[in-house]
């Protein structure tokens, strides 16, 4: 039931986004668009391209965006597609110089967007529309790019504070922009978004750990690992001893400090049920009830 509901929500959102928004097919690839790694336009234009990219690579963000007012929804898809484009650079390169070139493309693209001259790339096109529609703050885009660029180095976070700084400049900055699409520019809302973004960044780091371990990489804060006498090799080998789980417990506890009742607490609760075994198979599954869960919370206006 939940799976079919999610599919129906997705299809309805794509249809709504397309109404009155049909765009001409972008020109053939070349120059900066090719450098960004774009493989071609999606059927139906830039709006659908962004929504489909987010659905495939940021499913929970996709579902949350569906619940936004229609006047903000396509802008939210553009913002999350921009975030996905930057996030996937690190995993798609073999040399840092290539990653730096792609980051520079997006830095130049943002500059051109604010000069009313966006590149012929679907995410950039929709970002330009979002900026024009909501007068979005340029600084947050640049913070996301700068922080993602710094993170191209394959090294673990030195401490939990470094992970929180990364989360603030990526996840929280994305939330600040999303609030702006809703017409919310309020210091109290920004304060809440800061905490939620930090929690989301920490949880994302935990959720990605099994995947990173399959690639012989561990990014968990080194100070907490050292505190419990756990090495990166212990994670790469998939060890599940108590001291390994204690590392996850300490990091998860820091995320819990930043939030009490948002969607992230579901993952933290499920991790607690398996005694903080980050490699437990149940943690790798998508929640089939998440679309229904989010819809009910939206209907009740409880978040």
């Amino acid at each position: 039931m939940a799976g079919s509901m999610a599919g129906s929500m997705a299809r309805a959102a794509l249809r709504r986004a397309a109404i009155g928004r049909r765009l001409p097919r972008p020109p053939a690839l070349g120059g900066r668009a090719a450098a960004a790694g774009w493989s071609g336009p999606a059927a139906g234009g830039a709006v659908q391209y962004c929504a489909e990219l987010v659905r495939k690579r940021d499913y929970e963000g996709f579902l949350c965006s569906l619940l936004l007012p229609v006047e903000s929804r396509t802008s939210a898809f553009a913002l999350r597609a921009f975030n996905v484009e930057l996030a996937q650079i690190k995993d798609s390169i073999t040399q840092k110089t290539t990653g730096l070139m792609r980051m520079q493309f997006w830095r130049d693209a943002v500059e051109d967007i604010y000069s009313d001259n966006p590149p012929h790339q679907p995410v950039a096109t929709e970002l330009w529309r979002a900026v024009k529609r909501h007068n979005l703050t340029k600084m947050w885009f640049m913070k996301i790019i700068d922080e993602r660029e710094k993170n191209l180095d394959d090294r673990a976070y030195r401490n939990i504070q470094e992970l929180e700084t990364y989360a603030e400049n990526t996840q929280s900055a994305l939330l600040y922009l999303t609030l702006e699409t809703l017409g919310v520019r309020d210091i109290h809302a920004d304060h809440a978004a800061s905490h939620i973004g930090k929690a989301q960044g920490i949880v994302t780091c935990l959720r990605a750990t099994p995947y990173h371990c399959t690639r012989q990489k561990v990014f968990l804060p080194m100070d907490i690992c050292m505190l419990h006498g756990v090495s990166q090799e212990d994670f790469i080998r998939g060890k599940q001893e108590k001291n390994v789980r204690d590392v996850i417990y300490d990091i998860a506890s820091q995320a819990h400090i930043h939030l009490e009742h948002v969607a992230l607490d579901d993952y933290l609760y499920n991790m607690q049920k398996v005694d903080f075994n980050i490699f437990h198979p149940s943690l790798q599954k998508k929640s089939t009830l998440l679309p229904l869960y989010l819809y009910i919370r939206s209907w009740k206006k409880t978040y």
Side-chain angles (χ1 to χ4, degrees), residues 19-294:
I19 295 174
R21 297 293 308 280
R22 295 291 182 182
L23 297 175
R25 185 178 292 272
L29 280 180
R32 293 190 304 156
W38 181 39
S39 59
V47 178
Q48 290 80 4
Y49 180 92
C50 290
E52 186 65 13
L53 178 63
V54 175
R55 186 187 68 80
K56 289 180 178 178
R57 300 302 299 268
D58 179 12
Y59 183 64
E60 292 171 0
F62 174 77
L63 292 178
C64 291
S65 297
L66 291 178
L67 300 175
L68 295 177
V70 65
E71 61 271 16
S72 300
R73 192 177 303 136
T74 54
S75 296
F77 282 142
L79 291 174
R80 289 194 172 273
F82 167 74
N83 188 57
V84 167
E85 290 277 7
L86 294 177
Q88 64 188 6
I89 288 175
K90 185 173 181 176
D91 284 340
S92 65
I93 59 172
T94 55
Q95 294 183 327
K96 184 180 177 180
T97 51
T98 305
L100 292 173
M101 289 173 58
R102 293 187 178 180
M103 290 294 179
Q104 188 59 46
F105 165 84
W106 285 108
R107 191 174 285 109
D108 293 341
V110 170
E111 292 288 355
D112 289 342
I113 283 168
Y114 279 86
S115 298
D116 277 341
N117 184 34
H120 293 294
Q121 199 273 2
V123 176
T125 298
E126 281 306 296
L127 278 184
W128 173 72
R129 293 182 186 276
V131 167
K132 297 289 285 184
R133 188 181 300 122
H134 306 288
N135 192 27
L136 301 179
T137 302
K138 178 181 176 182
M139 174 183 67
W140 300 128
F141 288 107
M142 291 307 190
K143 277 188 176 291
I144 295 172
I145 295 170
D146 290 344
E147 197 66 35
R148 292 283 189 188
E149 183 174 275
K150 282 190 258 180
N151 198 243
L152 287 176
D153 292 317
D154 279 340
R155 65 170 184 83
Y157 298 102
R158 288 173 292 188
N159 48 54
I160 192 71
Q161 291 76 25
E162 191 171 85
L163 172 54
E164 286 183 323
T165 297
Y166 173 77
E168 166 69 24
N169 290 330
T170 53
Q171 300 295 340
S172 297
L174 184 64
L175 292 177
Y176 300 149
L177 287 165
T178 304
L179 285 173
E180 290 185 349
T181 70
L182 295 167
V184 177
R185 297 173 189 262
D186 179 84
I187 189 171
H188 300 295
D190 286 350
H191 181 74
S194 175
H195 282 294
I196 293 172
K198 288 175 182 175
Q200 187 172 4
I202 293 170
V203 169
T204 298
C205 181
L206 290 173
R207 294 176 73 171
T209 293
Y211 165 74
H212 288 144
C213 288
T214 64
R215 305 184 70 190
Q216 309 295 301
K217 296 175 183 178
V218 179
F219 299 110
L220 299 174
M222 291 187 291
D223 62 338
I224 297 179
C225 292
M226 292 173 63
L227 178 66
H228 294 285
V230 176
S231 67
Q232 291 189 349
E233 190 64 27
D234 291 332
F235 280 101
I236 291 172
R237 291 180 179 178
K239 291 188 175 181
Q240 301 172 24
E241 282 78 1
K242 185 178 183 303
N243 61 339
V244 174
R245 299 197 305 273
D246 286 343
V247 169
I248 302 303
Y249 171 79
D250 283 358
I251 298 172
S253 296
Q254 188 65 20
H256 190 70
I257 289 172
H258 290 290
L259 73 140
E260 291 183 0
H261 300 293
V262 296
L264 297 173
D265 63 357
D266 183 55
Y267 179 77
L268 294 174
Y269 173 71
N270 288 335
M271 190 159 51
Q272 184 181 28
K273 287 199 300 185
V274 296
D275 196 19
F276 299 93
N277 175 11
I278 197 72
F279 298 102
H280 197 280
S282 66
L283 296 179
Q284 313 307 316
K285 298 177 182 177
K286 279 185 180 179
S287 172
T288 56
L289 293 177
L290 183 60
L292 181 61
Y293 175 75
L294 290 174

